[in-house]
Amino acid sequence: MSWQAIDRRVVDEHHRGPGLSAAAREKIQSFFPRYPTRRAVMLPALHIAQDELGYVSLRAMEEIANLLGVTPAQVMDVVTFYTHFWTHPRGRKTIVLCRSLTCELMGQKALQAALEARLGVREHETTPDGEWSLMTEECLAACDHAPCMQINEKMHKCVRVEDLDRILADPDNDKLAMPRSDLYDAPR
Ligand code: FES
């Protein structure tokens, strides 16, 4: 069976997953003065949750709903709209392959097939050792270097199938060369 219905009124503690740290809650609250309403902080809050937990658990959705003054269902609406947000745990490193036109024309399909064969997973799945998750997203804003993919936050450009072994073997393949904006950085 590929799907399972969950009655969220009786969901148990295990399925609710981990909650947010006090630091993450404070970081979400620090965004309130920047927006006209609390509910407008939804996307920063989800990024902060996913940065900390690796995904957005049911418990985190409830906590965000309480902080923003909306219902948990409204948080889940947003979480499930964007492929970027995960509702289940991811591997230590997440490969995000661009699936938009320029990258597709430049070989994205072959890259995806090679990654799936090498890792033994399909899209939105995680390897049994918990090391790798694989997914695709729309344009990663590096079309002039197509085809491209990210590992965690690091962008790899002009990737060829023959480059994959080297990239996956590199222990720093998810390390950014320059610091990104601290806008969504996880609380330290
Ligand atoms: S189409 Fe792939 S980065 Fe834009």
Side-chain angles (χ1 to χ4, degrees):
M1 186 170 74
S2 59
W3 57 270
Q4 182 182 14
I6 298 175
D7 184 343
R8 299 189 193 285
R9 293 165 300 183
V10 296
V11 72
D12 62 31
E13 284 302 299
H14 173 71
H15 281 101
R16 290 178 73 220
L20 298 172
S21 68
R25 298 162 73 88
E26 272 174 32
K27 177 120 182 172
I28 291 170
Q29 288 167 318
S30 76
F31 277 78
F32 290 170
R34 304 191 203 181
Y35 290 85
T37 62
R38 285 189 174 200
R39 67 182 301 157
V41 180
M42 182 74 79
L43 288 178
L46 294 176
H47 279 284
I48 290 166
Q50 183 153 293
D51 274 355
E52 179 170 86
L53 305 174
Y55 71 111
V56 187
S57 65
L58 289 176
R59 191 189 304 272
M61 290 185 217
E62 291 167 4
E63 291 173 346
I64 290 170
N66 287 335
L67 286 169
L68 305 192
V70 299
T71 66
Q74 287 171 313
V75 179
M76 183 176 278
D77 277 351
V78 179
V79 170
T80 55
F81 179 81
Y82 293 103
T83 54
H84 184 77
F85 296 120
W86 285 55
T87 56
H88 54 277
R90 295 182 298 174
R92 200 170 66 78
K93 294 185 180 183
T94 299
I95 300 173
V96 179
L97 198 57
C98 174
R99 64 174 179 227
S100 288
L101 183 62
T102 308
C103 285
E104 185 174 343
L105 289 174
M106 296 301 288
Q108 172 263 335
K109 286 267 190 285
L111 276 182
Q112 185 169 346
L115 281 168
E116 288 178 349
R118 194 182 187 290
L119 301 175
V121 295
R122 306 292 298 274
E123 191 176 353
H124 250 263
E125 290 181 354
T126 298
T127 54
D129 62 2
E131 187 67 13
W132 300 99
S133 293
L134 176 64
M135 61 184 294
T136 63
E137 280 188 356
E138 300 302 340
C139 185
L140 299 178
C143 317
D144 50 337
H145 299 288
C148 53
M149 68 180 197
Q150 289 177 327
I151 299 181
N152 289 346
E153 299 290 332
K154 182 172 178 178
M155 182 75 84
H156 296 267
K157 299 173 178 176
C158 304
V159 182
R160 301 164 301 173
V161 168
E162 55 267 37
D163 297 326
L164 289 176
D165 282 345
R166 173 182 54 78
I167 292 173
L168 296 187
D170 177 0
D172 291 330
N173 57 19
D174 65 334
K175 302 286 189 309
L176 292 176
M178 64 179 70
R180 63 174 181 159
S181 159
D182 66 356
L183 186 62
Y184 295 128
D185 280 352
R188 299 183 207 297

